[in-house]
Amino acid sequence: MKAFAVTDIGKKRQLNQDHLYASGEPVGKLPNIFLVADGMGGHRAGGYASSCAVETILEEAESCQEEDAARILTRAIRRANDVIARQAGSDERFSGMGTTVVAACVDGRELTAANVGDSRLYVIHAGSIEQVTEDHSLVQEMVRFGGINREEARVHPNKNIITRAVGLEQDLQVDCFRRTLRPGDRVLLCSDGLTDMLEDEQIRQIIDKSGDVRSAAQALVRAANDNGGRDNIAVIVIDPFI
C-alpha cells in the first residue's frame, strides 16, 4: 500500500482549518487509518475542532476493543464529538465549533469508510469515479428529495451549509460504507476545498493521468488552487495494491 497526504491553505483563507492523518501501519485493531477533518468556527475554533477530532479518533481507535472496522471508526468519531462539544461548552472562545470527518481503513481488498459532514471519499478506477460517502448538507437533502439535480447542487448558493457535524450533535449519527476494491483502484479522501473547485470528472482525469499517489495528490491541490483556491484543501490519495 502507498498513500500520500497533503493539505494547503488555498488562496483566500488566512488560516488552514483542515487537518489530516494517514498511516499504513496498524492503529489498535485497525490495519491502517486515514482521516480528513475540515473545521468550522471562529478564528481559532475551527482549527481546534479539526485537530481535536483527528487526535481523539486516533486515541480511541488505539484503545478500542471492537473487532469490526466500522464499529471502531463510529465509536472513535462519536468520542471526538463528545470531546469537542464539552470543550465548546466550557470555553466561550470555542462556542459553536465543529468539524467534518471522513475516515477510512483498507483490510486486504475491503475498504471501510465513515463520514460526518461534506468531506468525501471516492474510489477511482480507470475511466470511472464513485463518490462512496454521502454529503450531510442542505443541497444534498434537496437532491435526495428531487428539488434540484447534482449539477444544480454544485453551484447552489447554500452548497456549503452542512446538516451534521462532529461537535454539534447530542447523539451523533455516523454513516459507514464498505466496498470491495479491485486491482487498479485508487482511494481519495478530501475536504470540500477540493470538490468545490473541481468537478468529479476533473478529479478522475487528474488521478488517472498521475503516475503515483504523491504526484496525484499534489496535482489535485495545484488544480484546486488554479481554479480559485477559495478554501483550505486537504487530500489523501491511496493506492491499496502497491
Side-chain angles (χ1 to χ4, degrees), residues 16-241:
N16 190 347
Q17 295 188 330
D18 287 0
H19 281 81
L20 45 72
Y21 183 86
S23 174
E25 299 300 315
V27 176
K29 297 195 175 184
L30 295 176
N32 43 67
I33 191 167
F34 304 93
L35 301 167
V36 168
D38 179 0
M40 65 202 73
H43 185 70
R44 293 181 54 196
Y48 177 86
S50 59
S51 64
C52 180
V54 169
E55 292 171 7
T56 305
I57 289 167
L58 291 173
E59 290 172 1
E60 187 67 21
E62 182 68 48
S63 63
C64 185
Q65 295 304 303
E66 296 278 2
E67 298 289 342
D68 179 73
R71 290 184 179 182
I72 296 171
L73 293 176
T74 296
R75 179 168 170 172
I77 294 170
R78 285 177 175 164
R79 172 64 177 161
N81 181 71
D82 293 344
V83 171
I84 294 168
R86 185 164 57 250
Q87 179 67 22
S90 63
D91 189 333
E92 64 179 13
R93 295 174 300 170
F94 299 113
S95 178
M97 69 178 172
T99 184
T100 71
V101 168
V102 58
C105 72
V106 179
D107 189 358
R109 297 183 66 171
E110 183 173 286
L111 166 71
T112 302
N115 82 297
V116 175
D118 61 358
S119 293
R120 295 178 178 177
L121 182 143
Y122 291 90
V123 173
I124 297 95
H125 195 80
S128 68
I129 180 168
E130 177 194 6
Q131 181 183 333
V132 175
T133 54
E134 185 171 294
D135 296 352
H136 303 132
S137 67
L138 180 61
V139 295
Q140 182 57 39
E141 292 290 331
M142 296 167 70
V143 171
R144 184 180 300 114
F145 292 106
I148 58 175
N149 59 38
R150 285 180 64 87
E151 290 70 28
E152 292 169 326
R154 180 171 175 77
V155 297
H156 196 280
N158 294 327
K159 66 181 179 179
N160 294 121
I161 298 177
I162 64 173
T163 57
R164 199 186 305 175
V166 177
L168 296 176
E169 313 289 330
Q170 277 194 323
D171 185 18
L172 181 67
Q173 180 181 347
V174 180
D175 289 352
C176 292
F177 306 85
R178 299 183 196 271
R179 291 292 186 278
T180 300
L181 299 173
R182 302 167 291 170
D185 284 352
R186 282 181 171 174
V187 179
L188 168 67
L189 290 79
C190 60
S191 64
D192 67 348
L194 181 75
T195 53
D196 281 353
M197 295 295 98
L198 299 176
E199 296 182 4
D200 287 3
E201 179 59 18
Q202 293 174 294
I203 292 171
R204 182 198 67 77
Q205 290 178 4
I206 290 169
I207 290 181
D208 279 352
K209 291 176 181 177
S210 300
D212 57 26
V213 292
R214 176 189 291 267
S215 61
Q218 292 174 335
L220 288 169
V221 170
R222 188 162 54 248
N225 277 325
D226 288 346
N227 280 8
R230 292 194 299 268
D231 200 354
N232 309 145
I233 307 156
V235 170
I236 303 174
V237 180
I238 308 163
D239 192 332
F241 294 99

